[in-house]
Amino acid sequence: GIQVEQSPPDLILQEGANSTLRCNFSDSVNNLQWFHQNPWGQLINLFYIPSGTKQNGRLSATTVATERYSLLYISSSQTTDSGVYFCAVVERGFNKFYFGSGTKLNVKP
Amino acid sequence: DGGITQSPKYLFRKEGQNVTLSCEQNLNHDAMYWYRQDPGQGLRLIYYSQIVNDFQKGDIAEGYSVSREKKESFPLTVTSAQKNPTAFYLCASSTGRSAGELFFGEGSRLTVL
C-alpha cells in the first residue's frame, strides 16, 4: 500500500507563531485530507485537498500532487490549535484510506 | 443534523467478555470504516465495508468481527480473542468513491479490566 510520512512528529510553538506541517506520500492519490484531533480524541476535517490550494481562516493547505506532498500552514497559532494533525490519502484506483503517523502540536500561551 | 454516532463513548469490560460498539450514520454514505488508536499512536484500520452485506479486513482484523446488514449501521464486536483490546475506537464513513471525503464519529473508549 501507499506510504504516508508526516513531519515533524512533534512541534512546540509560542502562541502567535506560524508553522508548516508536511505530508509526503509514495504514489498517486485521488484523495488527500487533513484532520485535527482535539484533546478529546475527536477528528475534525480541516481540508479535502487532492490538489491545489485552499484557505480557511488562519489555516491553509497546498497539495502538489505531481511531487507527492502536501503542506498545512497554521498562522498566528492559538492554544486551541494544540492537538495532533493527521494527513490521510487514498491511492488512485483504490478506496482505502492510509493515514500518516501525525504531527503533535503544542501551542503554549 | 447529519453525522456519525458512536456508542457507547466509554465502556469497561472484564477480560474474556465480548463487547459490541455501535456506529450509525445518516449521511447516506456507502462506505464505512473502523479504526483503532492506541495512546500516542496513529490510526490503524480494523475493517471496512464499501457496500451492504460486504466487508473486508483491514490491517489488524484479528480478534474483531463486523456486520453490515443496513447501509447506515456498521457495528464492531471486540471478541475475547483480541489480546489487547483497551484502545480508542473510531468509526468513519465516506461516499465510497475513491475521491469521497472521510468523516469520523466521536469515538468509543474501551477499557478492559
Side-chain angles (χ1 to χ4, degrees), chain A residues 30-31 33 35 37 39-43 45 47-48 86 88 90-91 93-101, chain B residues 33 35 37 41-43 45 48 50 57-59 88 90 94 96-106 109:
Chain A
N30 275 344
N31 181 342
Q33 291 181 241
F35 296 90
Q37 188 169 36
W40 297 271
Q42 190 173 6
L43 278 151
N45 290 38
F47 293 102
Y48 168 78
F86 288 103
V90 176
E91 189 174 1
F94 296 88
N95 286 328
K96 210 166 121 178
F97 287 82
Y98 291 88
F99 281 79
S101 53
Chain B
Y33 308 80
Y35 290 90
Q37 188 178 33
Q41 304 297 311
L43 279 69
L45 182 64
Y48 64 108
Q50 297 185 39
K57 292 182 179 180
D59 302 317
F88 186 49
L90 286 151
S94 74
R97 296 184 293 275
S98 62
E101 193 170 353
L102 187 69
F103 295 90
F104 280 90
E106 294 187 344
R109 289 192 187 276

Side-chain angles (χ1 to χ4, degrees), chain B residues 1 5-6 14 16 25 28 45 51 62 69-70 75-76 79 83 85 90 95 97 108:
Chain B
D1 287 352
T5 302
Q6 289 188 239
K14 295 180 180 179
Q25 54 98 358
N28 199 32
L45 182 64
I51 196 168
E62 185 175 351
E69 297 176 1
K70 297 186 297 181
L76 173 74
T79 75
K83 294 180 181 178
L90 286 151
T95 59
R97 296 184 293 275
S108 294

